[in-house]
Amino acid sequence: GIQVEQSPPDLILQEGANSTLRCNFSDSVNNLQWFHQNPWGQLINLFYIPSGTKQNGRLSATTVATERYSLLYISSSQTTDSGVYFCAGDNQAGTALIFGKGTTLSVSS
Amino acid sequence: DARVTQTPRHKVTEMGQEVTMRCQPILGHNTVFWYRQTMMQGLELLAYFRNRAPLDDSGMPKDRFSAEMPDATLATLKIQPSEPRDSAVYFCASGRGYEQFFGPGTRLTVL
């Protein structure tokens, strides 16, 4: 079955809007991370968040490991937030990240 | 600040040619990963090294791909011979513990 599932697949926002991205992960996946792939293709670490809540500026993330989901919150979105947001977790052996298919975010001014 | 570096950033080659991609992990990181990203498959692991030893290359086509770490500051991924279906972005990542940090990628086009 699907190990890491993200929703929604696409999101279009006006600048200034808030959004929530969701990641569901299976029992075989742990140690969630969130990445932003910008329009130039660079994969940037946002959060390493196996559990709990972290905040960094306008972004915050919460992982509820017992319920196998993680949420990424973007507040007061800006055009520079556009790109693809991936969540990923370790496989059972801890030898690879299993990536979701991503949420493509487009923020327009 | 510390970053994973990859060279070349772009490579266009003809089918049958050898391609070598290089990665310099972040100093002090003991794990190195090679991933490939395509539109169809998304991001998938090709190879994994811990303390320079290859631990998992099950995602890599063995007949044409090879990955090595000649020393702690260099990881290489070779394709020989290259095929059009190898066209993709190849990412190197390094880490210490579970968190991984990605390089800028090598965009490979095989004609």
Side-chain angles (χ1 to χ4, degrees):
Chain A
I2 297 175
Q3 295 179 291
V4 179
E5 192 168 22
Q6 292 186 243
S7 60
D10 300 282
L11 191 54
I12 299 173
L13 299 175
Q14 281 287 111
E15 206 167 22
N18 303 328
S19 62
T20 301
L21 283 59
R22 186 178 179 101
C23 175
N24 293 332
F25 53 98
S26 68
D27 289 344
S28 60
V29 173
N30 291 291
N31 301 313
L32 254 286
Q33 300 182 42
W34 282 95
F35 296 88
H36 174 217
Q37 188 165 36
N38 63 24
W40 295 270
Q42 177 76 42
L43 273 163
I44 300 164
N45 292 59
L46 296 177
F47 296 103
Y48 170 68
I49 185 156
S51 65
T53 297
K54 289 185 179 179
Q55 180 158 5
N56 184 2
R58 297 181 295 104
L59 303 181
S60 63
T62 295
T63 296
V64 184
T66 53
E67 296 186 26
R68 318 308 293 173
Y69 73 88
S70 184
L71 302 174
L72 178 69
Y73 306 96
I74 304 174
S75 64
S76 304
S77 58
Q78 300 176 357
T79 56
T80 52
D81 295 332
S82 296
V84 183
Y85 289 82
F86 290 100
C87 72
D90 285 331
N91 62 3
Q92 281 188 313
T95 58
L97 284 175
I98 309 297
F99 281 83
K101 293 189 181 299
T103 292
T104 300
L105 175 65
S106 299
V107 181
S108 57
S109 56
Chain B
D1 58 326
R3 298 183 186 189
V4 176
T5 58
Q6 290 185 246
T7 57
R9 294 293 307 277
H10 302 273
K11 176 74 175 179
V12 180
T13 190
E14 293 189 344
M15 183 173 63
Q17 296 298 305
E18 177 178 302
V19 175
T20 299
M21 291 169 271
R22 293 177 174 81
C23 167
Q24 182 172 5
I26 294 173
L27 189 65
H29 283 186
N30 65 340
T31 56
V32 172
F33 303 81
W34 284 102
Y35 291 88
R36 176 170 61 184
Q37 186 178 33
T38 62
M39 288 294 292
M40 294 298 293
Q41 301 295 327
L43 275 154
E44 50 184 353
L45 179 75
L46 296 176
Y48 162 56
F49 292 80
R50 181 187 292 272
N51 296 324
R52 294 178 54 203
L55 294 189
D56 186 348
D57 59 3
S58 58
M60 205 163 62
K62 303 286 193 311
D63 56 337
R64 298 183 300 108
F65 284 61
S66 62
E68 296 179 347
M69 275 202 78
D71 61 60
T73 64
L74 177 64
T76 62
L77 180 67
K78 289 186 182 181
I79 309 174
Q80 169 62 24
S82 58
E83 297 180 1
R85 59 181 167 149
D86 301 329
S87 297
V89 180
Y90 291 80
F91 287 101
C92 173
S94 72
R96 190 170 187 86
Y98 292 110
E99 198 169 5
Q100 295 183 27
F101 296 86
F102 282 72
T106 294
R107 183 174 295 276
L108 174 64
T109 303
V110 183
L111 303 174

